[in-house]
Amino acid sequence: MVQQSKVSRSARLAGVVVMATSTVLALAVLGIILWEDPHPDWEPRAGSLFGIDILYDPSAPTLGLIVLSAVIACLAAAAVVIHEARVAARHRRTAPEVLKRPLAPRRIMEATRGEFAGEVTITALIPAHNEAQNLGATLESLRQQTAAPDRIIVVADNCTDETVPIARAAGVEVFETKDNVHKKGGGLNQALAGILPTLGANDTLLIMDADTRFADTRFLATARQRFTSDRALMAVGGLFRGEPGNGLLGQFQRNEFARYSREIKRRRGRVFVLTGTASVFRATALREVAASRGGLLPGHHGEVYDTVALTEDNEITLAIKTLGGLTTSPNECGVVTEIMPTWRALWKQRLRWQRGALENLGQYGLTSTTARYWSQQIGISYSVIALTAYFVLIIIMMLALTEWIWFTFWITVGIIFMLERVITVWSGGWKARLLAVFVIPELLYDLYCNIIFVKGVLDMTFAKEATWSHHEQGPRRNRVAGGQA
């Protein structure tokens, strides 16, 4: 299934801005290092470790350089934390610029004060294209929830296999798209056009991929409770974990997902992206998004999903946040999602993710809502330069030295970094921790992802259209509610 996306001028500019900013930062760091001149000359020393003769270098960067680096890192972290805290607090205020947003919490609370819109309901929408092998397990995962959805609708999009008969045999509703050429987003738009007008303020929609399983039986119960206790909450997203299998490449991805989930937990559910694998939206939010398209938001008026966006989950997150809506991803809302089985499949997936994120930022521009996302992309771009420089310098050093020399300061830094890598994947089990201990393999995986990022930016800069094939897998096994990836 091939999809193409034309590159807008704003998207091209976004890529250039991100790369230029990170390059300036890297040059600034290099300038500071050269100005400090921490090692004009050095001479390794001889020593013994467990009876083995070794050469080591005990020198370290100057104290001023270490302090300056720590200060810059702390200031950068503090700036992000303060900005996010101010944005979160402002959403709860009655400031004029906030109240202009149709989903601003104060505005929603005032409009619904004293009204009871009924108990919170959940309608599950499952977009599916030729998912006969996976759909049955997904429906079973829904039934295992402690709070089952009130309604399940399979959105069958141009299916040529047994997806529709399987859904009907399972006793769920089926919506078949008509002449849809816009893939998942277009199919959902068709279904939502008929469903949204029938839903009230306390009705919600679970958008769930047909190859997704819940990792926790409390997902829907937690979402229902959150919507019940907070009338201003507009969306509850899932925290995704990787499915088992696929060897070392699969473990790389599971470690990556484990770190993301841990970060969201530490942020108390303040989510970056409402994952397309499984997220629950208040009907009010989706109606407002559709009404704001072509005005406050990019896209066609009346459509919930912007079918031009490469990553519909990232774009719908920005849309809801831009309109002032509150979102969260509780720790109980875990889902198990697919792992790319080959490096080629991973390349295609990540290229779409990276390009989609940058193109979304190009559309939305720099605002209080998108500032955090811009800083993320600049951070990724900077890591491209830093990680590449690290490996280049390591190779140069190994070629230049005739004997192995232990650099005690950098070994200490490496041990601290290794501990951080292990701790952040601790929940993933012993395989995740073992992989993290070795550090270098994960750094090489990160380097691969960085190369994909650069490829995406270059393609956007030179207006190359994105083209990729949808990855389709066989049936999923050993993935049950409550299981660990």
Side-chain angles (χ1 to χ4, degrees), residues 165-376:
I166 289 174
R168 287 178 174 152
V172 301
E173 299 177 53
V174 177
F175 176 90
E176 296 188 67
T177 62
K178 296 180 180 179
D179 303 319
N180 175 44
V181 295
H182 296 298
K183 308 303 184 291
K184 177 181 176 180
L188 285 171
N189 281 340
Q190 287 189 17
L192 289 168
I195 296 171
L196 281 178
T198 69
L199 301 181
N202 272 353
D203 295 323
T204 67
L205 291 137
L206 164 68
I207 310 295
M208 179 181 183
D209 283 347
D211 57 4
T212 293
R213 316 290 182 268
F214 292 110
D216 196 310
T217 58
R218 300 171 293 169
F219 187 112
L220 295 185
T222 300
R224 195 188 300 269
Q225 184 274 326
R226 293 297 182 100
F227 283 118
T228 300
S229 61
D230 189 351
R231 301 196 310 275
L233 182 63
M234 291 295 124
V236 174
L239 292 177
F240 46 87
R241 306 172 189 174
E243 64 183 353
N246 294 312
L248 183 61
L249 179 58
Q251 193 59 57
F252 281 136
Q253 296 170 74
R254 285 189 289 276
N255 280 17
E256 186 180 12
F257 295 163
R259 291 190 176 99
Y260 175 80
S261 294
R262 183 178 186 274
E263 182 177 3
I264 298 302
K265 183 179 179 180
R266 289 170 58 85
R267 287 165 52 86
R268 299 180 181 179
R270 292 198 299 272
V271 64
F272 294 122
V273 178
L274 295 164
T275 174
T277 55
S279 291
V280 188
F281 302 89
R282 197 180 289 272
T284 303
L286 297 187
R287 277 196 296 266
E288 198 57 58
V289 167
S292 300
R293 294 285 185 198
L296 294 175
L297 303 176
H300 298 290
H301 180 75
E303 294 184 350
V304 174
Y305 285 91
D306 181 7
T307 55
V308 176
L310 300 182
T311 48
E312 74 283 338
D313 49 358
N314 185 69
E315 198 282 332
I316 200 71
T317 305
L318 288 178
I320 292 175
K321 288 187 174 184
T322 296
L323 297 179
L326 295 180
T327 63
T328 187
S329 284
N331 192 52
E332 299 84 356
C333 293
V335 295
V336 180
T337 189
E338 68 176 338
I339 290 294
M340 294 296 103
T342 65
W343 291 99
R344 181 178 177 82
L346 179 68
W347 177 281
K348 292 181 179 180
Q349 180 198 59
R350 297 309 170 86
L351 184 59
R352 181 172 67 90
W353 285 5
Q354 293 290 2
R355 287 197 56 168
L358 286 171
E359 289 187 13
N360 291 159
L361 290 180
Q363 286 181 307
Y364 280 83
L366 178 60
T367 66
S368 60
T369 298
T370 62
R372 181 68 172 86
Y373 295 86
W374 279 102
S375 66
Q376 277 183 311

Side-chain angles (χ1 to χ4, degrees), residues 96-140:
E97 69 275 9
V98 175
L99 287 178
K100 290 179 181 179
R101 303 184 183 190
L103 296 180
R106 285 284 186 177
R107 190 168 178 173
I108 295 294
M109 296 296 282
E110 290 177 3
T112 58
R113 183 175 289 113
E115 297 181 4
F116 178 63
E119 299 294 334
V120 172
T121 70
I122 299 177
T123 296
L125 287 185
I126 305 176
H129 171 75
N130 291 345
E131 291 286 356
Q133 292 181 314
N134 297 313
L135 184 58
T138 300
L139 294 174
E140 181 60 27

Side-chain angles (χ1 to χ4, degrees), residues 11-12 34 78 81 145 192 234 336 365 372-373 388 409 426 445 454 466 472:
R12 295 173 63 184
L34 294 175
V81 171
Q145 287 290 293
L192 289 168
M234 291 295 124
V336 180
R372 181 68 172 86
Y373 295 86
T388 302
F409 174 82
W426 195 263
Y445 172 77
V454 173
E472 296 184 3

